[in-house]
Amino acid sequence: FEVINTREGKIKRWSADSFTVDSLKMTGLQFIWNVALESRDEVVSRDAMSYLLKISYSALSPKLKKDCTILHNNFTKHCQALLQECVDSATAEPSEDVLKRTANILNITTDYILLAESTHRGVRLLEPHGCTYLGPLVTFNLEFDKDNTMRVFHHKNQKVSAVRLSAAKLAKSSP
């Protein structure tokens, strides 16, 4: 894979274990996706996923990393298309292979997001993906007295101070 793409000028090799990717349209890329998603051996599948992340994000040239939004959108759209294929084939004929492929697509998508978030440096305009997850819904039943009970809805990852503030506002507005 690397030798062919190096000859074609899509990968620049710096040393035996170091290279940068200059083009996302590499020869044999679909084969690596197939190994990552369809291998029955968990170790081989995980290694292929790690390699995919390396050639899709970690080892990209600065020229390709310049516009991260397009890069991220293309990767997630590709994963979304693969996931849709799994959904379509699972509705037609569910199998264990389709479930494994689906799980691998979700794993590589998650790993990509975590990798992109971990390499971000500088001031953020938007919160990282991990911070935007609200978590499961939690319901608090507040009892002010026997006849006055109210419910406060929050999510599991919310700060206790926010729950207290909501409870205080409800207590002030209650008759």
Side-chain angles (χ1 to χ4, degrees), residues 37-93:
L37 300 179
E38 296 172 4
S39 177
R40 295 188 186 276
D41 186 348
E42 191 67 33
V43 174
V44 171
S45 182
R46 263 289 168 205
D47 286 347
M49 284 185 210
S50 296
Y51 189 71
L52 261 175
L53 291 174
K54 182 176 181 179
I55 61 176
S56 297
Y57 189 74
S58 300
L60 292 180
S61 66
K63 175 182 77 173
L64 290 176
K65 277 191 176 180
K66 188 170 36 173
D67 193 1
C68 287
T69 304
I70 291 173
L71 188 70
H72 298 330
N73 285 341
N74 289 341
F75 190 87
T76 54
K77 282 179 186 176
H78 183 71
C79 289
Q80 194 173 19
L82 292 171
L83 202 55
Q84 187 61 48
E85 288 175 17
C86 287
V87 169
D88 294 343
S89 62
T91 53
E93 188 177 326

Side-chain angles (χ1 to χ4, degrees), residues 13 24 86 103 132:
R13 180 154 297 288
L24 294 174
C86 287
T132 59

Side-chain angles (χ1 to χ4, degrees), residues 98-170:
V98 173
L99 292 176
K100 181 168 177 30
R101 184 177 168 91
T102 303
N104 285 343
I105 293 168
L106 294 173
N107 284 335
I108 197 164
T109 305
T110 303
D111 291 347
Y112 181 86
I113 291 169
L114 292 173
L115 177 65
E117 289 297 334
S118 69
T119 59
H120 181 80
R121 291 178 180 85
V123 178
R124 290 189 174 275
L125 299 176
L126 300 172
E127 289 187 21
H129 295 291
C131 292
T132 59
Y133 173 68
L134 298 178
L137 184 65
V138 178
T139 306
F140 295 96
N141 293 320
L142 304 174
E143 228 177 273
F144 299 109
D145 54 40
K146 289 183 182 181
D147 299 329
N148 196 359
T149 303
M150 296 186 172
R151 285 187 169 181
V152 177
F153 298 98
H154 285 277
H155 56 82
K156 189 176 179 181
N157 296 339
Q158 197 158 17
K159 294 180 180 178
V160 175
S161 60
V163 176
R164 286 183 181 163
L165 184 64
S166 296
K169 286 180 181 177
L170 275 174

